Amino acid sequence: MSEFEFGFELSILFAVSLSLILVTLYGRKQKRVNLPPGNMGWPFVGESIAYLKPHPAHTIGKYMEHHISKYGKIFKSHLFGEATIVSADAGLNRLILQNEGKLFECSYPRSIGGILGKWSMLVLVGDMHRDMRTISLKFLTNSRLKTHLLRQVERHTALVLSSWAHRPVVCAQDEAKRFTFNLMAEHIMSLEAGEAETERLKKEYITFMKGVVSPPLNFPGTAYWKALRSRATILKFIDCKMEERMKRGSKNEQDLLGWVLNNSNLSKDQILDLVLSLLFAGHETSSVAIALAIYFLQACPTAVQKLREEHLEISMAKKETRELSWDDYKKMEFTQCVISETLRLGNVVRFLHRKAIKDVRYKGYDIPCGWKVLPVIAAVHLDPSLFDLPWHFNPWRWQSGRETKNLMAFGGGGRLCAGSELAKMEMAVFIHHLVLNFEFALAESDEAFAFPFVDFPKGLPIAITHIHPPFL
């Protein structure tokens, strides 16, 4: 054998040996990936249909109950068209929320971005989301909440409740939506409740909302298709308001549109999507939370009595005016317990869409980079190892302060809801006037269902009786 042939065979042997070593190492590396247990479901659809099956809002649904009992609080699945790690674990959910942009990032389905807009705060990530959120926070300052917004909230509360004067039965969910829409329309664009243009905008917005929560089927006649048309109409309306202000040279900083025009460098498209997304966020979640509070309270007379005592004391202490002050609001301690319990048990936001942007290891399980991650907030809020009798409405549980760290109703970390303080104030002020002026009970059977969005199928009809003397 020549020296050349020997060298050639030696090189082949070396290459084969190296390949075997690499394959072995790669195989070992692959074997070290320890995914949580679970079931990937059917091809293409995975387990999405079972996961999204409607169920009472104060439960986690049969899908989650079955999977948690079989696989534990962390499991794998295939949801919304992607390989997914589902978490009902409070620690992992906190890790996900607190590491936005570091280990995980927001990752909503494309259909959501298609209808809310690519500049919507809900779908933005990174620096652009931070900038948009900062703009919202600068507008929703504590000083603004204490003065201007508190007065707005109380005025719109009185406007809705005063219309109940000669109505023995009202649909509480519709009334809550009317309250929050009118409030946000004034807060964002200085639109007056009841005016023709406000009512036109509301009509388009209702069509828009039906599409947001519908399957993303974009062909004529579907709810999604109609919603996209309504979105275009709403954006045109906002654009006209912007043009009017620019022509007049008036950028009224009392509303968000004027503030953004004066104090940001956002493009027109960015402003349009920001305004639409804040109208969506500020209206939808707050109205559902108020309806849930009414639903839970009508079944808990001891809580209503405790609230009435608290708010009567606040009202009786006022001498010169019945208008609520910031000090009055801060005295509503049991009311805040009711709000926390409503958000925990009702779960307005039931889960969040995230994606791992790095390989993450948690409790011995691997979450591979690129996998979808679904922190299920409702599962934490209804976990019997964290909350005593979690399916019971018990506002008193919040008086100890021990459970606060496990309340994730407003998200957390860099994506903590910018309007959380405004939402809590809306609920508190509405409850204040409700319990001082009305007795209320279900007029017919109804309950909140998760579709997964929370909704009362019958609109929550309640029978109301006026308290005399009233304190409106």
Side-chain angles (χ1 to χ4, degrees):
M1 180 182 292
S2 70
E3 186 178 331
F4 175 78
E5 289 173 328
F6 177 76
F8 181 69
E9 288 189 6
L10 190 62
S11 64
I12 290 175
L13 182 64
F14 176 75
V16 170
S17 300
L18 182 61
S19 298
L20 288 171
I21 291 169
L22 289 173
V23 168
T24 302
L25 289 174
Y26 180 75
R28 287 178 181 174
K29 183 180 179 182
Q30 290 297 97
K31 288 176 184 177
R32 283 202 298 269
V33 175
N34 183 33
L35 292 172
N39 180 10
M40 302 305 280
W42 294 93
F44 304 113
V45 296
E47 296 189 299
S48 299
I49 295 172
Y51 178 75
L52 294 172
K53 187 176 180 180
H55 56 271
H58 61 278
T59 72
I60 58 175
K62 293 195 182 306
Y63 171 90
M64 287 298 295
E65 288 173 0
H66 171 267
H67 280 59
I68 290 172
S69 66
K70 187 173 182 179
Y71 304 119
K73 293 181 182 178
I74 305 171
F75 58 89
K76 68 182 177 185
S77 183
H78 193 277
L79 299 172
F80 305 100
E82 298 181 68
T84 305
I85 302 296
V86 181
S87 170
D89 183 274
L92 178 53
N93 287 2
R94 272 195 297 273
L95 180 75
I96 293 166
L97 295 176
Q98 296 298 330
N99 284 276
E100 176 73 22
K102 300 173 186 173
L103 301 176
F104 304 92
E105 71 177 15
C106 182
S107 180
Y108 279 85
R110 287 184 181 179
S111 60
I112 296 294
I115 200 163
L116 289 180
K118 68 177 183 179
W119 299 110
S120 167
M121 280 179 61
L122 188 66
V123 299
L124 284 174
V125 297
D127 293 343
M128 197 64 234
H129 173 268
R130 185 199 61 212
D131 293 345
M132 287 283 204
R133 186 172 182 273
T134 299
I135 288 169
S136 301
L137 288 172
K138 283 182 177 178
F139 182 70
L140 290 170
T141 59
N142 264 343
S143 60
R144 187 172 176 79
L145 283 169
K146 291 177 182 179
T147 53
H148 188 72
L149 287 173
L150 178 57
R151 289 196 301 271
Q152 276 189 349
V153 169
E154 187 166 27
R155 185 161 58 83
H156 283 285
T157 300
L159 191 65
V160 168
L161 295 185
S162 63
S163 73
W164 296 7
H166 305 292
R167 299 162 65 188
V169 176
V170 298
C171 285
Q173 180 172 255
D174 294 343
E175 296 297 295
K177 287 180 182 295
R178 181 159 68 100
F179 161 63
T180 55
F181 182 86
N182 288 338
L183 172 65
M184 294 309 295
E186 180 181 3
H187 169 57
I188 292 173
M189 289 182 286
S190 296
L191 300 179
E192 286 294 325
E195 292 291 327
E197 64 175 0
T198 309
E199 293 305 308
R200 284 197 303 272
L201 180 64
K202 186 188 297 182
K203 183 180 178 181
E204 293 292 345
Y205 180 79
I206 291 169
T207 303
F208 170 75
M209 268 310 304
K210 288 178 181 177
V212 171
V213 298
S214 72
L217 304 174
N218 188 16
F219 53 85
T222 65
Y224 190 81
W225 179 82
K226 291 176 182 177
L228 289 174
R229 291 168 68 88
S230 285
R231 166 187 157 79
T233 302
I234 294 169
L235 293 182
K236 185 177 179 181
F237 178 91
I238 300 168
D239 190 23
C240 287
K241 289 293 176 185
M242 289 172 56
E243 291 296 328
E244 286 173 12
R245 295 188 188 198
M246 298 297 286
K247 286 177 182 177
R248 292 199 311 262
S250 170
K251 301 177 186 176
N252 174 23
E253 287 200 21
Q254 290 300 309
D255 63 30
L256 183 132
L257 181 59
W259 194 93
V260 170
L261 288 171
N262 269 359
N263 297 282
S264 79
N265 295 316
L266 297 180
S267 69
K268 183 171 78 171
D269 287 345
Q270 289 171 333
I271 293 174
L272 291 174
D273 280 358
L274 174 65
V275 170
L276 179 59
S277 64
L278 291 178
L279 181 63
F280 164 73
H283 165 261
E284 205 58 30
T285 52
S286 296
S287 64
V288 172
I290 290 169
L292 284 166
I294 294 171
Y295 173 73
F296 292 135
L297 286 171
Q298 59 81 33
C300 188
T302 52
V304 174
Q305 184 56 37
K306 177 73 173 173
L307 282 170
R308 197 162 279 143
E309 291 169 2
E310 178 172 271
H311 290 285
L312 189 57
E313 184 178 345
I314 291 170
S315 183
M316 295 298 287
K318 301 181 74 61
K319 296 177 182 178
E320 296 181 2
T321 176
R322 290 203 182 279
E323 278 189 6
L324 290 171
S325 66
W326 188 255
D327 288 339
D328 295 329
Y329 171 61
K330 300 307 286 185
K331 291 175 186 174
M332 300 178 186
E333 294 180 1
F334 185 70
T335 306
Q336 293 300 328
C337 294
V338 168
I339 291 169
S340 293
E341 184 68 350
T342 296
L343 297 173
R344 181 198 69 81
L345 184 55
N347 291 293
V348 178
V349 178
R350 306 190 68 79
F351 59 90
L352 302 170
H353 292 266
R354 296 292 185 268
K355 178 177 70 177
I357 55 176
K358 291 183 179 178
D359 290 334
V360 178
R361 194 167 179 85
Y362 182 83
K363 289 187 176 179
Y365 292 132
D366 291 306
I367 304 174
C369 178
W371 273 52
K372 189 178 190 70
V373 182
L374 214 71
V376 184
I377 307 302
V380 173
H381 289 170
L382 299 170
D383 187 339
S385 70
L386 300 174
F387 297 97
D388 185 39
L389 299 175
W391 49 89
H392 286 185
F393 181 74
N394 176 16
W396 290 270
R397 75 171 81 239
W398 298 97
Q399 291 180 328
S400 68
R402 290 194 303 270
E403 289 91 350
T404 307
K405 71 174 184 177
N406 291 316
L407 183 65
M408 304 176 185
F410 293 108
R415 299 189 79 93
L416 179 70
C417 175
S420 59
E421 290 304 318
L422 174 60
K424 287 187 282 188
M425 187 171 73
E426 289 174 44
M427 292 182 72
V429 173
F430 197 95
I431 288 170
H432 170 81
H433 288 286
L434 177 68
V435 299
L436 288 181
N437 291 277
F438 298 98
E439 299 280 3
F440 50 97
L442 277 182
E444 57 180 290
S445 178
D446 199 8
E447 69 173 315
F449 270 80
F451 290 94
F453 61 94
V454 177
D455 188 56
F456 287 88
K458 298 179 183 177
L460 189 59
I462 59 168
I464 52 176
T465 306
H466 294 267
I467 296 174
H468 297 284
F471 290 92
L472 255 180

